[in-house]
Amino acid sequence: MAAEIISGTEMARTIREELRIGVEEFKRSVGRPPGLATVLVGSDPASQAYVRMKKRAAVDLGMYSRQIELDREITEDELLGWIEGLNADPDIHGILVQLPLPPQIRKNRILEAIHPAKDVDGFHPINVGRMAVGDPAALAPCTPLGVVEMLVRSGIQTRGRHAVVVGRSDIVGKPMGSMLLGTGPGGDATVTVTHILTQDLASHTRMADILIVAAGHPSLITADMVKPGVVVIDVGVNRVADSSREKGYRLTGDVAFDEVREVASVITPVPGGVGPMTIAMLMSNTLKAARSLNRAMA
Ligand code: NAP
């Protein structure tokens, strides 16, 4: 029987409705909305599209949104000046610098300059550390946070089960492993994290009760690489050429969806799976940051 499909689009809609109430309450008690600043350097079309989606989501929830667009040739010091300004701005509770950055700018220097309390992407080392030790005050990275939310809201038990993560990036794979290993809902799993040097990837993925794939390779995971009944969460977003589409491409995940669906019990689609959840978690982090900054000022 084909797997049940978890719709990230539907789930994110529900989360947004919950957040909308929280944003209203915040506005009523504080007198101003939670504020999110997005910083875009250069004019990469994919980055522009991501920033547009984030801005739209914030505005739709009644948040204040400021979009800062900077020339690709900007220096690191100039960009640091913008971050300092946003760190000091009381209308801004969340700062997001859209990655990737041009080569003259050291990504880590920028990410570390964002005040940890406004680091809604959860990439600052303070938040990475807090998340790793299970501190609930941590602002955790939005994509793995979205995956955990999907598992919990779908009633998928992680406790004591074997979760295999494909990919070890700082923004998805590593924090994903850390969250699954942590205690509480969405955690308490036995975790394997794989990467490009992992030998015989299929021998690991076949052991998974829950398989989370974030490699950036279309159709990396095929039906013969999973065991019957596995829960598959596909984080990958890849552009593959498709002349039947107006844009000349379509988006696809890292999992060969049609064939893996026949073996799995639960699977997420691409698009419409983890992507919308990531944006919902960014909004959730912005509200969380606004509340905690407001508490700290009281
Ligand atoms: P990344 O930084 O390129 O990392 C990819 C990871 O996958 C690396 O750790 C790499 O190993 C590993 N890998 C690549 N090929 C592999 C293979 N054949 N076998 C095992 N491991 C392999 O990418 P990322 O930022 O984590 O993103 C991963 C994917 O998720 C991309 O498609 C991206 O577009 C997507 N994504 C989606 C969302 C969303 O909201 N839906 C958010 C973020 C990312 P090494 O470290 O050894 O090189």
Side-chain angles (χ1 to χ4, degrees):
M1 206 172 78
E4 177 198 340
I5 297 174
I6 308 179
S7 166
T9 308
E10 286 295 313
M11 200 177 278
R13 191 171 298 139
T14 305
I15 294 169
R16 282 200 304 275
E17 290 320 311
E18 294 164 10
L19 290 173
R20 197 184 303 284
I21 297 166
V23 170
E24 270 313 310
E25 279 168 7
F26 183 89
K27 278 193 204 169
R28 256 200 315 276
S29 69
V30 178
R32 64 171 159 221
L36 173 67
T38 55
V39 180
L40 175 66
V41 181
S43 54
D44 172 61
S47 293
Q48 281 175 329
Y50 285 133
V51 165
R52 247 193 329 269
M53 279 194 283
K54 291 163 185 176
K55 180 192 161 91
R56 206 179 303 139
V59 170
D60 176 63
L61 289 184
M63 292 183 182
Y64 167 60
S65 165
R66 192 182 303 164
Q67 202 171 339
I68 294 164
E69 292 180 16
L70 302 168
D71 193 272
R72 191 183 157 75
E73 303 303 321
I74 191 171
T75 66
E76 195 173 83
D77 283 343
E78 285 168 333
L79 181 53
L80 286 171
W82 279 96
I83 305 287
E84 259 171 52
L86 294 170
N87 280 342
D89 189 331
D91 288 334
I92 299 297
H93 305 95
I95 304 169
L96 178 151
V97 177
Q98 185 64 42
L99 301 177
L101 290 166
Q104 76 277 15
I105 294 173
R106 285 167 290 178
K107 179 185 82 177
N108 284 355
R109 220 173 143 222
I110 301 305
L111 297 182
E112 288 174 27
I114 298 172
H115 194 292
K118 296 191 177 188
D119 168 40
V120 285
D121 254 342
F123 297 159
H124 191 289
I126 296 255
N127 281 313
V128 174
R130 281 186 182 146
M131 197 264 302
V133 297
D135 180 348
L139 288 168
C142 302
T143 301
L145 199 56
V147 172
V148 167
E149 195 71 30
M150 274 184 131
L151 293 171
V152 171
R153 286 183 183 245
S154 307
I156 294 164
Q157 187 67 254
T158 49
R159 191 164 184 253
R161 298 179 84 193
H162 189 179
V164 175
V165 180
V166 181
R168 59 166 167 186
S169 73
D170 290 341
I171 64 168
V172 189
K174 269 187 217 155
M176 188 74 255
S178 194
M179 286 179 196
L180 289 160
L181 201 53
T183 55
D188 292 313
T190 300
V191 182
T192 300
V193 180
T194 67
H195 49 82
I196 198 85
L197 298 175
T198 298
Q199 291 180 17
D200 192 4
L201 180 65
S203 70
H204 296 277
T205 56
R206 270 190 218 113
M207 304 258 288
D209 300 315
I210 300 166
L211 179 63
I212 297 164
V213 192
H217 274 243
S219 300
L220 175 67
I221 304 299
T222 47
D224 58 316
M225 293 173 75
V226 299
K227 75 175 176 191
V230 63
V231 171
V232 179
I233 309 285
D234 190 354
V235 180
V237 180
N238 308 289
R239 281 184 181 192
V240 295
D242 185 343
S243 56
S244 70
R245 304 284 172 104
E246 203 181 306
K247 290 179 177 163
Y249 69 85
R250 69 190 149 81
L251 294 181
T252 177
D254 288 348
V255 175
F257 183 86
D258 291 337
E259 58 179 89
V260 173
R261 194 187 170 197
E262 296 305 318
V263 186
S265 60
V266 175
I267 193 165
T268 63
V270 179
V274 176
M277 291 297 289
T278 297
I279 297 185
M281 291 302 103
L282 174 68
M283 299 302 121
S284 170
N285 272 355
T286 304
L287 181 57
K288 179 177 177 174
R291 283 174 173 154
S292 86
L293 281 161
N294 188 54
R295 271 197 305 274
M297 288 200 324

